[in-house]
Amino acid sequence: NEGQLMALAVVADWRRICRGGFLSLTGAAGTGKSSLIRAVARHLPDAAYTATTGKAALRLRECLGGRATSTLHSVLYYPPEPGRDIRFERVRCAEVSTFVVDEASLVTPAVYRDLGTWADDGVRILLPEPRT
């Protein structure tokens, strides 16, 4: 629809102009955010697609027609060392220049802070999320 086309144009401009940072796309349930993510995937084939949980990552994979997806934690953090408390503290180096984080409303402030280190290093982070 017209709103989705406008949002896709905003994403294209953001990708072309910005050298890092966040872009949040919000919309109520049923407004076409999943369809928009499919369109974004066609225009950003080199982006990494993540979700906050394993189940959400699987749903995102289905939405994207089988394209590789992963959990945000597995992309953002090194795994905890065996025998230590399970803490996600060591941030990885970003492997691509653009990340899509589906269900971004579920991201905690601490994870946003760590994503901010990537944004500061020039990584673009797209956050489709429901409008509250």
Side-chain angles (χ1 to χ4, degrees):
N1 66 30
E2 198 172 313
Q4 290 170 312
L5 291 173
M6 193 169 17
L8 193 56
V10 167
V11 170
D13 287 346
W14 169 72
R15 169 88 186 226
R16 185 174 39 81
I17 296 168
C18 294
R19 298 290 175 243
F22 294 95
L23 175 63
S24 179
L25 296 174
T26 62
T31 58
K33 290 183 301 294
S34 294
S35 296
L36 182 63
I37 291 173
R38 278 193 299 275
V40 165
R42 286 192 297 274
H43 294 282
L44 301 177
D46 58 337
Y49 294 84
T50 68
T52 52
T53 67
K55 189 170 186 173
L58 289 174
R59 187 197 61 76
L60 181 60
R61 180 177 294 152
E62 289 173 359
C63 174
L64 296 176
R67 175 187 220 109
T69 61
S70 57
T71 64
L72 177 57
H73 277 68
S74 68
V75 172
L76 183 60
Y77 298 105
Y78 288 105
E81 294 180 21
R84 302 253 176 159
D85 289 342
I86 297 178
R87 293 186 183 172
F88 295 96
E89 300 174 323
R90 298 181 317 142
V91 176
R92 294 179 188 260
C93 292
E95 295 183 7
V96 298
S97 62
T98 305
F99 284 85
V100 177
V101 182
D102 195 26
E103 301 294 339
S105 62
L106 301 175
V107 174
T108 67
V111 173
Y112 267 118
R113 182 195 66 233
D114 292 340
L115 281 169
T117 63
W118 279 3
D120 292 343
D121 289 339
V123 175
R124 294 176 205 90
I125 303 161
L126 180 62
L127 306 165
E129 55 189 321
R131 185 179 311 144
T132 55

